[in-house]
Amino acid sequence: GLIMNSAQIAAMADPTVLRNDPLVKQGRESSLSNFSSLRYLYTAALADVTAGDRYGMAKANWQNGVYTLLVKMGGLVEDDAVSYQGWLVRRGASMEVLPVGEAKFIDGDWWIIYESETDWTVFDFFVLTQESREDASLSPTVHLLGGGFQAN
């Protein structure tokens, strides 16, 4: 589906579904300026699951041994008490969740840039959550945006 159901959202909070990525690389901000023209294998339109005004687009690619995820979002509010965290989700009987980092405010938009030498294209869904900076848990909490990747 285009959005996650309540059982899937609850399953994301289970710490046993969290994956880590030992092959993560430092994402490059150089890709941001030509985001709209980038040709990626997979795209996901992100919907505000709270019926608010947030929006976004995620693009994922596996090329030359590097997985790249670029997410551009809007409608988020700068707040020192919270962070916005991105998650790749592999839905199904054995859900898996990969944290892909905190959204950064760059040149008027919110971005997540993630690169890895692991092919994560089987993770078919992106979620953005709002997290309290005081909460030390690694599990996702308040879901804001979500969308399923479609092959281009």
Side-chain angles (χ1 to χ4, degrees), residues 19-46:
R19 297 277 307 269
N20 69 359
D21 184 358
L23 300 176
V24 67
K25 301 171 61 160
Q26 183 67 37
R28 296 182 310 257
E29 289 186 20
S30 59
S31 304
L32 303 185
S33 60
N34 57 347
F35 178 81
S36 60
S37 63
L38 287 175
R39 305 272 308 156
Y40 271 48
L41 295 175
Y42 304 95
T43 56
L46 306 178

Side-chain angles (χ1 to χ4, degrees), residues 11-19 94-97 139:
M12 277 187 69
D14 179 353
T16 64
V17 303
L18 285 178
R19 297 277 307 269
S94 58
M95 176 179 280
E96 296 177 89
V97 177
S139 298

Side-chain angles (χ1 to χ4, degrees), residues 20-84:
N20 69 359
D21 184 358
L23 300 176
V24 67
K25 301 171 61 160
Q26 183 67 37
R28 296 182 310 257
E29 289 186 20
S30 59
S31 304
L32 303 185
S33 60
N34 57 347
F35 178 81
S36 60
S37 63
L38 287 175
R39 305 272 308 156
Y40 271 48
L41 295 175
Y42 304 95
T43 56
L46 306 178
D48 189 329
V49 299
T50 69
D53 296 331
R54 298 173 197 95
Y55 55 91
M57 176 67 71
K59 296 183 177 187
N61 211 22
W62 173 252
Q63 187 173 18
N64 300 323
V66 177
Y67 173 84
T68 305
L69 172 72
L70 284 177
V71 185
K72 181 180 182 181
M73 298 159 290
L76 303 172
V77 177
E78 287 190 80
D79 183 340
D80 291 339
V82 301
S83 66
Y84 300 108

Side-chain angles (χ1 to χ4, degrees), residues 4 10 13 27 44 50 57 60 62 66 83 86 88 97-98 102 118 127 129 133 139 149-150 152:
M4 297 180 88
T50 69
M57 176 67 71
W62 173 252
V66 177
S83 66
L88 284 176
V97 177
L98 177 72
E102 181 176 341
T118 301
V127 171
T129 61
R133 292 209 182 268
S139 298
F149 285 99
Q150 304 293 321
N152 291 328

Side-chain angles (χ1 to χ4, degrees), residues 79-128:
D79 183 340
D80 291 339
V82 301
S83 66
Y84 300 108
Q85 298 290 328
W87 310 86
L88 284 176
V89 181
R90 182 178 187 179
R91 299 181 293 176
S94 58
M95 176 179 280
E96 296 177 89
V97 177
L98 177 72
V100 293
E102 181 176 341
K104 306 288 186 207
F105 192 71
I106 303 168
D107 294 334
D109 292 299
W110 290 88
W111 295 91
I112 291 177
I113 309 161
Y114 186 83
E115 288 187 342
S116 175
E117 294 176 10
T118 301
D119 183 357
W120 296 105
T121 56
V122 295
F123 282 59
D124 63 347
F125 205 86
F126 177 84
V127 171
L128 183 77

